[in-house]
Amino acid sequence: MSINMARSVFSRGVSVFQLGRKAPLLSAPRCYSQSEPEPEPLILKQQNHGIRRIILNNPKKRNALSLSMLEALRENILTGVDGEDLRVIIISAKGPVFSSGHDLKELTSARGRQYHHKVFHTCSEVMTLIQDVPVPVIAMVDGVATAAGCQLVASCDIAVATEKSTFATPGVNVGLFCSTPAVAIGRALPRKLAMEMLLTGTPISAHDALLHGLISKVVPEERLEEETLAIAQRVCQSSRPVVALGKATFHRQMAQGRDAAYATASKVMVDNLALRDGQEGIRAFLEKRKPVWSHKPEKVHN
């Protein structure tokens, strides 16, 4: 599914808080005067000053990436993603587990092959969407990230984690090899370390994850939000179309051979110079002043 098609299907208006799923309507029995309380939303969303916070909100189930959670995550990423007021997305979670990965109750034979296909197709769509959207996506991790939860961290552009956080792909231990998490993890970690994680299920510490490139920064728990927001705020200071062009090009050239990557990047550098904000940045540097970004993908020359 293309991003444009996904947007047309799933885009909705941006609000300060948005439920990650709609609660079913509950009719109260005639003998009661009060209706039953609505269930907690799977995802909470906040957006302020260009920063969107997407918070996994199912700690009782270890923030498992159930089909409903994945669909909610997809919707909350896509909503208003092309708006000029959105500059960066932060994904975090409530509770001691960032995400335990797929909900194994959804993966029994009783669900059937078609349902299983939908789960993994949706998961792959969300992971690629994170890299395809025009704004950077930051994982803010405080706790355990396993299997598809680890895949989610690996798929983000930047990841900040607390010292107590751990990362693992333990599927092999329950008879389900982490093949889809391996796509993202194998591109973030050295091959032999990735294989050790996949073949043994042994977790790695936050410091080892940093050492080998799975995450960007390790911070004390009390500084996690401060450090993550500082990165997000720094991104917000740059031109939105320049950041979008740079992010897309980085991911594209990483999948290419050296010569093709240089050809791609060279063309994009020329395209970047044609942007109004590209020329504004150069003029501001030469004139020793701060740039005034338009945040619009307009060109000043061909």
Side-chain angles (χ1 to χ4, degrees):
M1 180 183 292
S2 66
I3 288 184
N4 288 335
M5 184 179 298
R7 289 174 184 147
S8 67
V9 176
F10 297 102
S11 294
R12 299 179 184 171
V14 174
S15 59
V16 176
F17 278 86
Q18 178 171 330
L19 300 186
R21 65 175 179 185
K22 291 184 178 179
L25 296 176
L26 301 175
S27 57
R30 295 178 182 273
C31 57
Y32 293 98
S33 60
Q34 296 182 344
S35 62
E36 296 180 26
E38 293 185 355
E40 285 286 318
L42 287 175
I43 284 180
L44 300 173
K45 187 178 77 171
Q46 305 169 326
Q47 186 167 325
N48 290 291
H49 306 295
I51 301 171
R52 177 175 297 175
R53 302 285 300 271
I54 295 176
I55 305 165
L56 307 185
N57 187 43
N58 196 10
K60 291 182 179 179
K61 292 192 174 181
R62 298 166 62 85
N63 293 309
L65 296 181
S66 62
L67 181 58
S68 296
M69 178 72 89
L70 289 166
E71 290 173 341
L73 186 54
R74 177 177 60 189
E75 180 180 342
N76 280 276
I77 291 171
L78 280 172
T79 299
V81 75
D82 287 326
E84 291 179 14
D85 58 339
L86 177 63
R87 306 290 172 73
V88 63
I89 294 172
I90 298 174
I91 299 176
S92 61
K94 287 197 171 184
V97 177
F98 177 77
S99 176
S100 59
H102 291 292
D103 185 348
L104 294 182
K105 291 181 179 179
E106 293 187 339
L107 304 182
T108 62
S109 296
R111 291 284 190 168
R113 187 179 183 88
Q114 186 173 356
Y115 186 88
H116 296 163
H117 176 77
K118 186 175 182 180
V119 168
F120 290 106
H121 175 79
T122 304
C123 183
S124 297
E125 185 182 5
V126 169
M127 301 302 168
T128 56
L129 186 64
I130 286 170
Q131 297 186 346
D132 290 346
V133 293
V135 297
V137 181
I138 304 173
M140 187 172 80
V141 185
D142 183 24
V144 178
T146 62
C150 188
Q151 178 186 4
L152 179 57
V153 175
S155 297
C156 290
D157 300 302
I158 299 170
V160 183
T162 56
E163 295 166 325
K164 71 178 184 181
S165 298
T166 59
F167 306 86
T169 51
V172 68
N173 297 327
V174 296
L176 183 64
F177 198 88
C178 287
S179 294
T180 45
V183 175
I185 293 164
R187 284 163 170 75
L189 289 172
R191 181 173 298 188
K192 287 182 172 56
L193 177 59
M195 285 299 289
E196 181 180 348
M197 291 178 65
L198 292 162
L199 292 169
T200 67
T202 303
I204 63 172
S205 68
H207 287 288
D208 282 343
L210 174 64
L211 176 65
H212 296 292
L214 181 62
I215 61 176
S216 316
K217 183 177 287 191
V218 177
V219 298
E221 185 176 356
E222 65 272 14
R223 288 177 50 200
L224 176 61
E225 187 153 338
E226 175 189 350
E227 294 282 350
T228 307
L229 285 174
I231 295 172
Q233 289 161 357
R234 183 66 187 86
V235 170
C236 290
Q237 294 174 16
S238 298
S239 162
R240 189 185 196 277
V242 171
V243 169
L245 182 62
K247 172 179 172 174
T249 304
F250 177 82
H251 287 300
R252 189 184 317 136
Q253 63 86 19
M254 286 296 290
Q256 298 175 329
R258 183 196 61 187
D259 293 347
Y262 269 119
T264 294
S266 296
K267 179 183 181 302
V268 171
M269 292 289 285
V270 175
D271 292 340
N272 194 157
L273 287 170
L275 289 175
R276 181 177 301 280
D277 281 354
Q279 288 300 308
E280 165 61 16
I282 292 173
R283 283 197 305 271
F285 178 82
L286 296 175
E287 295 169 6
K288 296 180 171 57
R289 61 174 174 82
K290 289 185 176 181
V292 179
W293 306 122
S294 70
H295 297 294
K296 299 181 183 298
E298 297 174 351
K299 292 185 177 182
V300 292
H301 65 259
N302 292 324

